[in-house]
Amino acid sequence: MTAFGVVAPIIVIAALGLLFARKAVHAALALAVVMIGLAVLYAANGAPFLFAVQIIVYTGAIMMLFLFVVMLVGVESGPEAVSDPIPGQRVAASFVGLAFGVMLVIGVGQVLANGFSAPVAAVEDENVEGLAALMFGPYVLAFQFTAALLVTAVLGAMVLAHQDRLTPKASQAELAAQRVRDFGADGKHPGNAPTPGVYARHNAVDVPALLPDGTPLESSVPGSLVKRGQVIRPPVTGPGLGEGNGEAGGGSGPRADGEAGGGSGPRADGEAGGGSGPRAEGEQSE
Amino acid sequence: MSDVFGNEPFWVVALKALLIFVILVVYTLFNIWLERRVVARMQHRVGPNVHGPFGLLQSLADGVKLALKEDIVVKAADKVVYVLAPILATIPAFLAWSVIPFGPEVTIPFTDTVTPLQLTDMPVAVLYVLAVTSIGVYGIVLAGWSSGSTYALLGGLRSSAQVISYEVAMGLSFVTVFLYAGSMSTSEIVSAQTDLWYFLPLLPSFVVYLISMVGETNRAPFDLPEAEGELVGGFHTEYSSLKFALFFLAEYINMVTVSALATTLFLGGWRAPFGIAQVWEGANEGYWPVLWFLGKTLFFIFLFIWLRGTLPRMRYDQFMAFGWKVLIPFSLAWIFVVIVLRKLQNEGSIDEVVVNWAGVAVAVLLIAFIALRRDKPTPDRPDPATGSAADGYPVPLPFDDSEKESAR
Amino acid sequence: MVWLLVAFPALGAALLLTWGKESDRFGHLIATAASAASFVWGVVLFVRLLGRDHDDRTVTDTLFTWISTGDFHVEMSFVYDPLAALFVLLITGVGTLIHVYSIGYMEHDERRRRFFAFLNLFVAAMLVLVLAGDYLVLFLGWEGVGLASYLLIGFWQHKPTAAAAAKKAFVVNRVGDIGMALAIMLMFKEFGTTEIAAVGDSVAGTAASTITALGLLLLLGACGKSAQVPLQSWLLDAMEGPTPVSALIHAATMVTAGVYLVVRSNAIFDASETARTAVVVVGLVTLIAGAIIGCAKDDIKKALAGSTMSQIGYMMLAAGLGPAGYAFAIFHLVTHGFFKANMFLGAGSVMHAMDDDVNMRHYGALRTALPVTFATFGLGYLAIIGFPGFSGFFSKDKIIEAALAHNVWIGLATVLGAGITAFYMTRLMAMTFAGQKRWKDEVHPHESPRVMTVPLMVLAAASVLGGILLLGDWITDWLEPVVGHTEHEHVVILGAEWPPIAVSALVTVVVAVGVALAWFTYGRREVAGETPEKVSFLTRFARNDLYGDTVNEWVAVRPTMTLARGIARFDQHGFHRAITGAVGLIGEGASSMRAWQNGFVRSYALGVFVGALALTLALLVVIWR
Amino acid sequence: MSDLLSLSMILFTIGAVGVLVRRNALIVFMCVELMLNATNLAFVAFAREHGNLDGQLAAFFVMVVAAAEVVVGLAIIIAIHRSRGSISVDEVRQVRG
């Protein structure tokens, strides 16, 4: 019973954690600990198959499903309010729970006091085979029913969680064709947006990337940062960049020429309008 | 399953556990080096070759560097879970190895103790591996959630959905092995393969397992959780330093774990490859089987690397559809076939040898069929490198000056 | 392959009921073909049966196990034996002729397809009834016949009288069915089986009182279906149905089901003197009552209906005589089937000619207008009054002879019945075909189309020749395996033995007196165009169906209504008050408890746990005690 | 034996109190699972005591049924969340969508 001595306190503490956890994820973790602990107890008590099934089914599948749902819905489900809307619920619940526990202790104690007629003789070696013989022998009907139950449950869950699409889903080919059409219509860049430049002073995504000719590519900075005005200008990277950024359109010197004329295709088009405005803001806030 | 398990002196168990730990860590360092070298070779590069002989110490150096980096805890993170996640990912990876048999019973040097080269075994050992693997998923999910980052969350969700989905196909591929071996204990499965390794009669299961083991370990071409173009780094985007190293370690150990499991279930475990044992009596005795075992495992590792170097990443929905709509139904159908065969065999309707060799014949036919299909001439496609591919290497199109001029 | 007999008409009915309007054009042909096919198959089976050994003429065809629960098993089995064979031929033969006749008769009816579907349904049910090897299967056919007759009597449901008549027939038949159902239950309780043969075997060694009860219950059932006193009242009203229905159901087949039941259950009746006597009494009373009613009716169909009652009374009486009479009951049943169907169809033909007027006082001198109808009707008439050489002569004679041998007074009553029969039938003939024309000028009597007259001719021929069956005692011989050997009994009156020829002579004389009386009353004198009001008490008595409805009204309807009203009043003032009071109480209690219904799931969960706690506590208390 | 049963009872009671006290539908659901697990433990304990496997099989069936229950239950929670934007059991007081 060494396993019990180690595992039981952990299980109880984890179960209490379930009761007192503020966040649903913590509760789920606590429950997972309980389940794994129980699995260990199963293994220690002549039920190796249940040990595996407990972990695979409960911990691996059921609790994982819980975690999924927590993550799907849990973003806004903050900790519960302190005051309970039902008057006296906590006190009553604690009382009833306690009474229930006492009752259980008395009841089971009664059973134990009467003792068992059968001797302790767990057949550990043939655990899997024995279970199989039972499952496909006397309990085969129940087994079949659980199969039907599972299928029904899956269907039910799909029906409950299903949301009908109003329009057919666009295929990859259609999306690609649409991107090319957009490019043809108003020059929207068909590929990924360019990644921001790396300037390892701190979190680097707020620094625009530089084009080969040294001009910053404003569309490489995430839009939200631009809105917040948190875009950073690299202090000095190329000749004249520091002083040249203010006059955006009407730049002077040979480089401006290159920019206006060559412009390296569509990307320059897209950026010309959108890039200049926010950049000015970014400078002001800086 | 030997009675020895669970009844050994404590020091033997401790020694074996320590050995497994050491082997796994060293093996991981070796694998990282191997992967870099092999991928480099496939990409016409050289790879790490400076530190140590053949650059073998490169991984060690990287590991030390990684551990010494600044450990960043993101502000939006859920601190407890954030720290817990990498540990949760790593521990189960090691745990799975407790039931993998490295070899037969050996005498520990300098003592009289005879012990099998396996930490422990249980009647449900393979299920145990599955169970432990499913705990490992927690590390990924929790890492994704606790980082407080959208990329990480999506990567974590993707990863866990992927692992869970492919775990089903994986479990189904085990079922036929259980049916053939009549046991779920690893040591007994190995001993059941004395005459015939299961990858031949159970080729479909083997193929399903090979595919799902790649999906299970989030490796290319199924490395969607870390799809850099979409999710930056996936669930470990916000991790750095030792915590990231733990994820890294867990991933490589998982690779080795599934490889070892494949070896145990389909390639005869620690048994010497066909032919060697016939020539050399002692091939399956003493410490030699460890060599065979590690060699077979290495073969699978190479397979992983090869796939990574060859195949492009799949799209997520295609990947899930493949798992649920192809692998699982196929596995179920195959299990049904095997059950019918085993039933007939158990009733004496057909001979076991016939079944086995029928399976082998089907396998050979399948392989031959696929091979012949590959030989079919593919319709000629316009060579993108027309005109300058005389020696078979594609080269960029000839540069046209006039175009450049007009662009200007 | 006995089941094919049932299958044809059943299939026809199903087809016609489910097929849409497009089958209106040819539905009647399908039905007729189904019936005819069944008849042809019946003939084939009959010939096969003839080819068998005398003692080996029972074919059992078990289709499937209908009911199997505990020790009780009911096989869906058909037994084809000489008795059933005769019935099959009668039902399908006459049935087919009536189908053919109906093609013409119902030609202008919108719902003709439905009518034919019901006819087929009826034939199928009747065949189930006579072929059944088990009382429960018989009951199935029995109820099927009841259903079909309900549908057919009320076929012209737009007429309130027809709807009421159908309802009446249905309700009265249910009274008889109670007897039948109780009889089957009693069989199950006593013998553990309801199979007819097994029941027959189990009769020996059962308490006499049980057998008597069984016989009386079966008699009650037979009374209902065969319109015997006291359940006779529905038959006259049932004439509201189309005339082919009257011919098929209320003359040739359905009303004979009671006789069939008694003959089929001969083992039971053989064993109980009391039951037999009851049958004889019922038959005798009905015989006379029907005859008297027949004398007073001006409605041609009702006069015939009274005659039917009377003739079935003869059969019942014969069946009640035991082994001496079974065969003659069946013999008379067959011949009666021929001539009564003939006359009903003839009456239909007359009505057809007279624009559906049924009052005989509006007829007269139709012999020239309807020569074929007159000729065939006349042959049927001669048969029913027992004109020597015609089928009715032989069959009725045999019954009278057996009755005389059994008991002189009963025999004399049957002789009297024969005389009255002659009287009212002559009256009917005279009022319809002889004398001066009394119909209005706008009515133009015309002979019916060929499709209606041909069945008449066939049936007339059968009415004439039906006596052949008695040649060499064939019919008694034929039925012997089923009903036992018919002893030839000697008629002894006033200590002297009368030869059969003397009995025949006596009957013929009485009949001649009846004919002469009627002829001088109605044939030679002018018949009033309207029903005379000033008549003797006896006539009024007969006209009102011997006050059968009145008796029913006072004996059954009134007390029941009074009881029902009392119960309704008690329900209103007693139960209703109590219930509304209880509801109010509960409602108030509920609204006071509504506060508990706060909508919080957790509160309910708390309730659940408190409940579980209480349960566990109770359990523990039980254990500690 | 009695140790396992005591643990089972403690867990069951904790689960029961959790169902009564917690308001997050997910956590309430987890508490229900805890109660199921507690009964499973009792089943295993009794199976060991009786020396046969029926108890273990019962626990197995409980797991399967629990899996079905969780699938449907979580789908309902998602549906509720979708329509009400909350998963507090106290919010679901009216019987209408």
Side-chain angles (χ1 to χ4, degrees), chain A residues 197-212:
Chain A
V198 176
Y199 183 67
R201 198 172 68 179
H202 55 93
N203 196 351
V205 289
D206 52 358
V207 181
L210 296 182
L211 291 174

Side-chain angles (χ1 to χ4, degrees), chain B residues 14-171:
Chain B
L15 182 69
K16 285 201 274 192
L18 184 68
L19 273 176
I20 287 178
F21 182 77
V22 170
I23 287 177
L24 281 181
V25 173
V26 173
Y27 207 21
T28 300
L29 292 179
F30 173 74
N31 282 338
I32 294 171
W33 171 82
L34 181 73
E35 175 159 21
R36 295 179 68 175
R37 289 289 290 204
V38 172
V39 170
R41 177 68 54 174
M42 287 175 178
Q43 295 169 347
H44 299 264
R45 297 188 281 110
V46 178
N49 62 349
V50 175
H51 302 287
F54 309 107
L56 269 170
L57 295 181
Q58 178 69 44
S59 310
L60 190 62
D62 284 348
V64 171
K65 183 202 78 177
L66 202 51
L68 293 179
K69 272 179 134 181
E70 182 191 359
D71 190 3
I72 297 174
V73 176
V74 192
K75 206 198 285 176
D78 186 309
K79 302 285 180 311
V80 182
V81 182
Y82 185 76
V83 176
L84 202 61
I87 303 171
L88 263 181
T90 316
I91 292 179
F94 281 101
L95 283 181
W97 277 81
S98 56
V99 293
I100 301 286
F102 285 81
E105 300 203 339
V106 295
T107 315
I108 300 177
F110 316 117
T111 60
D112 295 338
T113 314
V114 175
T115 180
L117 280 177
Q118 182 178 4
L119 180 56
T120 184
D121 199 2
M122 50 174 87
V124 289
V126 181
L127 290 188
Y128 163 82
V129 176
L130 269 184
V132 164
T133 322
S134 68
I135 295 180
V137 184
Y138 274 82
I140 296 171
V141 178
L142 293 176
W145 178 79
S146 65
S147 296
S149 156
T150 316
Y151 289 135
L153 182 65
L154 287 178
L157 281 178
R158 260 194 196 186
S159 173
S160 48
Q162 166 176 343
V163 172
I164 289 173
S165 304
Y166 274 66
E167 208 170 71
V168 178
M170 190 183 236

Side-chain angles (χ1 to χ4, degrees), chain D residues 47-69:
Chain D
R48 183 177 172 81
E49 198 66 20
H50 281 295
N52 61 23
L53 291 172
D54 290 55
Q56 293 190 15
L57 202 69
F60 176 79
F61 280 126
V62 169
M63 285 182 196
V64 178
V65 174
E69 170 226 338

Side-chain angles (χ1 to χ4, degrees), chain A residues 60-74:
Chain A
I62 295 183
M63 284 319 295
M64 196 51 75
L65 212 55
F66 267 112
L67 275 180
F68 263 51
V69 175
V70 167
M71 289 174 189
L72 279 176
V73 305

Side-chain angles (χ1 to χ4, degrees), chain A residues 15 18 31 34-35 38 42 58 100 104, chain C residues 605 608-609 612, chain D residues 7-20 27-43 62 66 69:
Chain A
L18 176 63
L31 188 55
V34 172
M35 285 168 173
L38 287 178
Y42 293 164
Y58 261 128
F100 213 83
L104 281 176
Chain C
V608 170
F609 276 104
Chain D
L7 180 61
S8 162
M9 287 181 287
I10 292 170
L11 291 183
F12 191 89
T13 310
I14 291 177
V17 175
V19 168
L20 296 181
I27 297 182
V28 170
F29 218 5
M30 289 180 206
C31 291
V32 173
E33 293 302 314
L34 181 63
M35 288 158 74
L36 285 174
N37 268 285
T39 53
N40 274 356
L41 181 63
F43 269 128
V62 169
E69 170 226 338

Side-chain angles (χ1 to χ4, degrees), chain A residues 93-195:
Chain A
S94 313
F95 176 73
V96 168
L98 210 66
F100 213 83
V102 171
M103 196 65 65
L104 281 176
V105 168
I106 295 172
V108 175
Q110 189 75 24
V111 173
L112 289 179
N114 292 342
F116 284 92
S117 52
V120 179
V123 274
E124 296 194 21
D125 280 343
E126 284 94 36
N127 183 268
V128 180
E129 286 86 345
L131 276 179
L134 274 182
M135 198 183 295
F136 296 105
Y139 292 95
V140 69
L141 205 62
F143 184 71
Q144 297 287 350
F145 277 132
T146 52
L149 174 72
L150 281 177
V151 172
T152 316
V154 167
L155 282 180
M158 285 170 78
V159 168
L160 279 172
H162 181 73
Q163 277 178 315
D164 283 323
R165 287 191 80 91
L166 294 175
T167 52
K169 190 180 179 185
S171 75
Q172 200 169 11
E174 282 164 2
L175 288 174
Q178 183 60 43
R179 274 200 290 273
V180 174
R181 268 199 301 279
D182 286 349
F183 173 59
D186 39 51
K188 190 168 170 248
H189 183 56
N192 288 348
T195 47

Side-chain angles (χ1 to χ4, degrees), chain B residues 283-404:
Chain B
N284 282 331
E285 285 163 24
Y287 285 93
W288 287 109
V290 180
L291 183 67
W292 314 134
F293 180 79
L294 290 180
K296 288 175 192 173
T297 313
L298 210 56
F299 162 72
F300 286 107
I301 298 290
F302 175 75
L303 208 63
F304 272 115
I305 299 168
W306 190 11
L307 285 175
R308 182 192 157 177
T310 314
L311 296 176
R313 185 180 299 133
M314 276 178 102
R315 212 174 65 203
Y316 188 68
D317 57 331
Q318 291 170 336
F319 170 74
M320 292 303 267
F322 179 68
W324 284 101
K325 296 178 185 170
V326 177
L327 282 187
I328 293 176
F330 173 77
S331 299
L332 287 174
W334 169 241
I335 288 172
F336 181 75
V337 171
V338 170
I339 287 172
V340 171
L341 280 179
R342 291 300 289 186
K343 179 72 182 164
L344 288 176
Q345 189 180 309
N346 286 346
E347 285 175 351
S349 303
I350 45 175
D351 198 21
E352 180 170 359
V353 181
V354 176
V355 174
N356 281 343
W357 287 108
V360 172
V362 169
V364 170
L365 278 177
L366 249 163
I367 294 168
F369 178 70
I370 292 166
L372 287 177
R373 265 174 60 96
R374 284 288 299 277
D375 286 346
K376 270 189 199 161
T378 47
D380 285 331
R381 258 182 295 176
D383 191 347
T386 316
S388 60
D391 52 356
Y393 287 100
V395 292
L397 285 173
F399 190 74
D400 192 341
D401 283 324
S402 63
E403 257 179 51
K404 191 185 172 191

